[in-house]
Amino acid sequence: MLIRHTRRIFATVLLSLLCLSALSSTTTYPFPKYEARAVWLTTIGGLDWPQTYSNSPETEQIQKRELCRILDKLQAANVNIVLLQTRIRGTVIYPSAFEPWDGCLSGRPGVSPGYDALKFAIEECHKRGMELHAWVVAIPVGKWNAAGCSKIRKGYPALAHRIGAEGYLDPERVGTADYLARICTEITENYDVDGIHLDYIRYPENWNKRIDRSAGRANITRIVRRIYAAVKASKPWVKLSCSPVGKHSDLQRYSSHGWNAYHKVCQDAQGWLAEGIMDAIFPMMYFKGNQFYPFAFDWLENSRGRIVGAGLGLYFLSPRERDWDSEVIKRELHVLRRHGIGHAYFRSKFFTDNTKGVYNFSKDVIDPVPALVPPMKWQSPTPPSAPTALNVSRHADMDILSWGSAKDNSDGPYLTYNIYASEQYPVDTHDSRNILAVRQKKQEIAIPHQTTATELNYAVTAVDRYGNESAAIASLRKHTMTASTASLLDNDGMTMRIPVNRNTTDADLIIIESLQGVIVATRQLNDSVNISDIPCGFYVLKTLNEKGIAHRLGLFTVKRLQR
């Protein structure tokens, strides 16, 4: 994990310097600092993930590695929001008090895969500086006799509605809003999610409505309002978003040809934005030409300052679908960028598989540098204080940064930190090309050196859970810094002496952690420790006693000659 993180920082530094060199004469920034860049990661039927069922410790690890590989590719493409399908069809990917396990993880509906997939995914996204939003499919609950629908029919028979072989929650029943709110509250209270993402929060298009459209819209809005209140009561920093039908309604000059959110399926997403019960929207804009651009601008014009990311139908690039030319998506991305609209890819596999070159285009042309998720200033506008005492220790192959805590002025549970670097002094933190790492929980980081670059200047900011960023604390000018090697523990890449007297400590274990706090290895406390199986990289060494109290001994780097 640390090696991947270090390579990511190295690549970002190099790209930042190249961009600054090529564009140093301009006074404008070529890439936005704030932009929603999302991907829908589908779990139903393992379409995107997983490809392997988890029914043993070995297959559990395979399934986890599959997800990590996907997240590594998303991080490399500077995606900052993962919309993970968490509630599928009345079934879920976490241990729920209300609904059964979906079969996508273990291969058997109702059977646990042996671990909490949602918890694992959140942790892995956060390690990579990405937000995770729990994607909740709202109204459909699967086949009438399948596990999800059957449990709802037994526990809440009045809420179940059948259309053919499929089951749905009935939007016209008041209890539907309460039931879905309980599901979303369960996720929000039990998990460190950054958002709840509502999908299919609408009437099915084949519903035989016995009420007029305005009453139908009122029913769906009642559900959204109830979920919003429940989520915000639990954790006000958790975003509520949705994926409405891609065209809100007919425009003055352009018809939706009968397929729109407002009239066809009673989904008043723009009304939710106006009412303030929706923080972000990712409309499913799987169209092109005049069926895309005017409707994208309509969403922006009615966003009320909330987050907008246009959903792009990458699956239409597939020859098995509509075999779109890649230029369709490329033009849409360019126009969205020009007009300040974010983007969301449907779906992950078509993106990471580089269908018709779309991954490379996104990574290298549209999003070659990171961007921050826009802050929720409508929820909490006050930024935290700046970090204190930024220290830079220079070594032969890396710089080690550490800094003091900032103060959170909101009611969020913790702060994270963004790190910036530049050859220029002071570092311009408004320029996204200078972003090295985001949402770091630890107050230290190692930055690898490059043979082609001069010494870098650094800056660090604090970020609260609403996305508000503090003023920056900057490093001293580079020529005033002095090199230091004393803080690194010495080793030969195979063994390392432990700088603690066993007779004066109550510890009996040694812990080796990555800078992100991930435990890489544990060892019995001895005079020396075997590190031959530790990958090359940068680590923290700690002792641990039987009471669970850890003490840091120092930092060390593992380096070995390539054979």
Side-chain angles (χ1 to χ4, degrees):
M1 185 62 64
L2 180 65
I3 293 175
R4 288 196 294 268
H5 181 71
T6 302
R7 288 174 178 168
R8 160 64 188 267
I9 292 176
F10 181 92
T12 305
V13 172
L14 181 59
L15 180 58
S16 299
L17 296 175
L18 291 173
C19 289
L20 286 170
S21 174
L23 299 165
S24 59
S25 61
T26 183
T27 57
T28 60
Y29 302 125
F31 305 104
K33 179 177 176 178
Y34 293 100
E35 185 176 60
R37 303 171 179 174
V39 166
W40 280 282
L41 205 164
T42 306
T43 57
I44 187 170
L47 289 176
D48 293 329
W49 174 79
Q51 300 296 300
T52 302
Y53 291 136
S54 174
N55 42 45
S56 69
E58 293 74 21
T59 52
E60 175 187 324
Q61 293 306 312
I62 293 172
Q63 190 174 94
K64 288 179 175 179
R65 287 195 295 271
E66 289 175 355
L67 180 60
C68 288
R69 284 194 291 269
I70 293 170
L71 298 181
D72 284 342
K73 294 202 72 172
L74 298 181
Q75 181 192 21
N78 291 309
V79 167
N80 54 25
I81 299 174
V82 175
L83 306 169
L84 177 66
Q85 193 171 25
T86 299
R87 183 184 192 242
I88 295 92
R89 294 292 188 274
T91 51
V92 293
I93 63 166
Y94 66 94
S96 170
F98 303 104
E99 298 190 329
W101 286 94
D102 190 79
C104 67
L105 297 169
S106 69
R108 293 175 292 171
V111 176
S112 167
Y115 73 106
D116 188 331
L118 179 57
K119 182 176 184 291
F120 177 76
I122 292 168
E123 292 171 349
E124 293 301 321
C125 282
H126 287 178
K127 287 176 190 176
R128 294 163 175 80
M130 297 186 291
E131 292 191 358
L132 184 139
H133 296 205
W135 165 8
V136 173
V137 178
I139 300 299
V141 290
K143 298 296 183 183
W144 189 249
N145 293 316
C149 187
S150 292
K151 187 165 185 178
I152 291 171
R153 287 168 54 204
K154 291 176 182 177
Y156 307 88
L159 302 186
H161 180 87
R162 184 171 186 170
I163 303 177
E166 300 294 326
Y168 299 86
L169 290 175
D170 190 339
E172 296 168 12
R173 299 283 185 172
V174 175
T176 292
D178 293 332
Y179 181 80
L180 287 172
R182 283 195 290 271
I183 296 294
C184 294
T185 299
E186 178 180 59
I187 296 170
T188 303
E189 290 184 346
N190 294 342
Y191 295 92
D192 189 22
V193 292
D194 302 284
I196 297 291
H197 177 66
L198 301 178
D199 182 25
Y200 218 111
I201 184 70
R202 61 179 177 86
Y203 274 84
E205 54 268 35
N206 56 347
W207 188 284
N208 184 17
K209 303 178 186 67
R210 297 179 297 277
I211 58 175
D212 62 30
R213 294 295 193 272
S214 62
R217 287 189 290 271
N219 288 333
I220 300 297
T221 296
R222 179 180 62 244
I223 299 172
V224 173
R225 193 179 291 126
R226 179 72 181 85
I227 293 172
Y228 182 85
V231 168
K232 296 300 180 178
S234 175
K235 294 177 181 176
W237 58 87
V238 171
K239 300 177 181 71
L240 186 67
S241 68
C242 67
S243 53
V245 170
K247 305 166 197 173
H248 179 69
S249 62
D250 290 335
L251 303 178
Q252 185 174 2
R253 294 181 57 194
Y254 298 97
S255 170
S256 64
H257 300 295
W259 179 240
N260 63 64
Y262 190 75
H263 296 286
K264 181 66 176 178
V265 293
C266 301
Q267 189 178 47
D268 188 12
Q270 291 185 1
W272 305 337
L273 293 167
E275 186 178 337
I277 56 174
M278 193 62 63
D279 298 304
I281 54 167
F282 300 95
M284 300 180 292
M285 304 199 64
Y286 311 152
F287 315 108
K288 57 183 178 179
N290 286 339
Q291 290 295 295
F292 178 87
Y293 299 107
F295 295 94
F297 300 148
D298 182 56
W299 286 113
L300 179 63
E301 290 168 3
N302 291 279
S303 67
R304 305 299 178 106
R306 304 298 170 98
I307 298 169
V308 180
L312 304 178
L314 300 191
Y315 67 106
F316 281 154
L317 295 172
S318 170
R320 295 183 178 181
E321 293 289 342
R322 298 187 183 177
D323 200 20
W324 278 1
D325 190 286
S326 63
E327 289 302 314
V328 172
I329 300 296
K330 292 178 180 179
R331 284 195 298 268
E332 290 177 351
L333 283 166
H334 277 303
V335 172
L336 293 173
R337 170 61 51 76
R338 190 178 309 128
H339 292 274
I341 306 173
H343 46 273
Y345 297 121
F346 186 81
R347 50 187 173 76
S348 174
K349 192 173 191 304
F350 292 97
F351 183 60
T352 57
D353 280 356
N354 198 28
T355 306
K356 292 189 177 177
V358 69
Y359 177 85
N360 288 345
F361 178 78
S362 176
K363 180 173 67 73
D364 299 334
V365 178
I366 292 295
D367 299 329
V369 297
L372 309 183
V373 176
M376 300 169 64
K377 292 190 176 296
W378 55 88
Q379 191 79 47
S380 178
T382 306
S385 66
T388 58
L390 173 58
N391 298 307
V392 179
S393 177
R394 298 199 182 276
H395 303 270
D397 55 354
M398 70 182 70
D399 292 340
I400 302 172
L401 280 60
S402 62
W403 56 89
S405 299
K407 179 182 178 182
D408 192 351
N409 295 316
S410 72
D411 54 357
Y414 65 77
L415 296 174
T416 55
Y417 297 92
N418 295 338
I419 296 89
Y420 300 80
S422 172
E423 292 184 12
Q424 306 302 314
Y425 185 89
V427 179
D428 184 356
T429 58
H430 298 289
D431 192 338
S432 62
R433 294 168 294 177
N434 294 333
I435 299 174
L436 286 190
V438 300
R439 293 170 57 94
Q440 300 291 297
K441 290 185 179 181
K442 307 271 287 186
Q443 290 174 224
E444 59 187 0
I445 192 170
I447 310 297
H449 286 175
Q450 307 159 69
T451 58
T452 58
T454 60
E455 290 182 350
L456 295 174
N457 300 291
Y458 298 101
V460 178
T461 62
V463 184
D464 66 20
R465 289 307 299 264
Y466 299 94
N468 296 308
E469 188 177 33
S470 75
I473 182 171
S475 60
L476 298 174
R477 288 184 180 272
K478 58 191 178 187
H479 66 265
T480 66
M481 296 181 186
T482 57
S484 171
T485 58
S487 61
L488 285 180
L489 302 175
D490 190 36
N491 70 86
D492 62 3
M494 303 301 289
T495 60
M496 179 172 60
R497 292 193 60 79
I498 302 303
V500 64
N501 188 332
R502 285 189 292 165
N503 296 323
T504 61
T505 179
D506 63 348
D508 53 5
L509 290 177
I510 288 292
I511 299 176
I512 298 173
E513 289 184 355
S514 74
L515 285 184
Q516 289 71 45
V518 178
I519 297 178
V520 176
T522 58
R523 303 281 193 269
Q524 289 293 320
L525 177 60
N526 290 302
D527 293 333
S528 63
V529 61
N530 180 4
I531 58 172
S532 61
D533 60 338
I534 304 299
C536 293
F538 197 81
Y539 300 94
V540 181
L541 187 69
K542 295 180 178 179
T543 60
L544 182 70
N545 65 18
E546 62 181 9
K547 296 180 180 179
I549 299 174
H551 291 285
R552 175 170 148 166
L553 299 178
L555 308 170
F556 70 97
T557 182
V558 176
K559 295 185 291 185
R560 302 185 188 92
L561 294 176
Q562 298 293 327
R563 295 183 178 180

